[in-house]
Amino acid sequence: ISPHRTARRSGPTDAVYLGLYRRELFYRVGWFDEESAVISEEVDFYVRVRAAGGLVWLDADLIIGYTPRASLINQFKLYFRYGGAKVAIAQKYKTLINLRQLVAPGFYGVVSVLAIVAPFWIYAAGALALLLAGYVVAVSVCAFRESALVHNLSLWPKVVITMMAMHAGYAL
């Protein structure tokens, strides 16, 4: 999980939500690139900030409200766009922002390969079952924790489904 999503401590990070910038920074590294993917133009900016020796700093004391998408399909589409934008940034700079970006696509890639091979090889079927069970447990634990943090365990199943939709959209 990106540090800006949990904000448990202040410090350097790869991205922040709703960043604040000094004007001088834009003169030093350039403005937002209007050719970059609109949904990740700040990520493009952060790559240039770090390349120029700057830091992207997360202030954990800031409290920022966020209104989630109104439907599961809209949340899926948002993360599909995020994933596509990350690919565009990686292509532009010939590098990944961080290895975390490969987790969802890597997971779904392995699941896809195992699903294709599973009917023909019992070990692939077993590996697929274990991988999917582990994923469901991990997502369920994380969703439980997030639901407990806001003192609303009735959110738990919805958070599980939403997290899975976000992972799938990003990976695709």
Side-chain angles (χ1 to χ4, degrees):
I1 295 177
S2 179
H4 79 275
R5 298 204 188 282
T6 56
R8 288 183 174 76
R9 60 187 163 102
S10 297
T13 188
D14 57 335
V16 294
Y17 178 65
L18 299 178
L20 302 171
Y21 318 99
R22 291 198 169 106
R23 181 179 288 268
E24 304 85 54
L25 180 62
F26 290 101
Y27 292 118
R28 194 167 108 211
V29 302
W31 299 85
F32 288 111
D33 181 359
E34 294 181 19
E35 299 299 317
S36 71
V38 173
I39 199 158
S40 282
E41 58 197 358
E42 79 286 359
V43 175
D44 179 75
F45 180 68
Y46 299 147
V47 170
R48 290 183 278 126
V49 167
R50 286 191 302 278
L55 285 177
V56 177
W57 189 264
L58 173 69
D59 183 346
D61 294 329
L62 291 177
I63 298 171
I64 299 170
Y66 175 78
T67 303
R69 298 298 187 259
S71 71
L72 187 61
I73 191 68
N74 286 345
Q75 191 72 8
F76 174 87
K77 287 177 183 177
L78 175 66
Y79 274 78
F80 180 82
R81 289 178 57 208
Y82 281 154
K86 297 295 188 204
V87 170
I89 297 292
Q91 289 174 332
K92 178 178 181 179
Y93 291 102
K94 309 290 189 257
T95 187
L96 291 172
I97 306 304
N98 57 57
L99 291 177
R100 182 181 68 244
Q101 295 175 328
L102 296 178
V103 173
F107 171 78
Y108 278 90
V110 170
V111 165
S112 297
V113 168
L114 289 173
I116 291 167
V117 175
F120 310 105
W121 192 33
I122 190 73
Y123 294 113
L128 178 61
L130 284 173
L131 187 60
L132 290 176
Y135 175 68
V136 169
V137 168
V139 169
S140 295
V141 168
C142 291
F144 181 84
R145 186 176 140 266
E146 294 302 316
S147 300
L149 284 174
V150 295
H151 309 291
N152 189 350
L153 292 181
S154 68
L155 291 174
W156 183 21
K158 293 176 184 175
V159 175
V160 168
I161 292 167
T162 302
M163 289 174 70
M164 289 179 172
M166 291 163 55
H167 296 156
Y170 186 89
L172 292 173

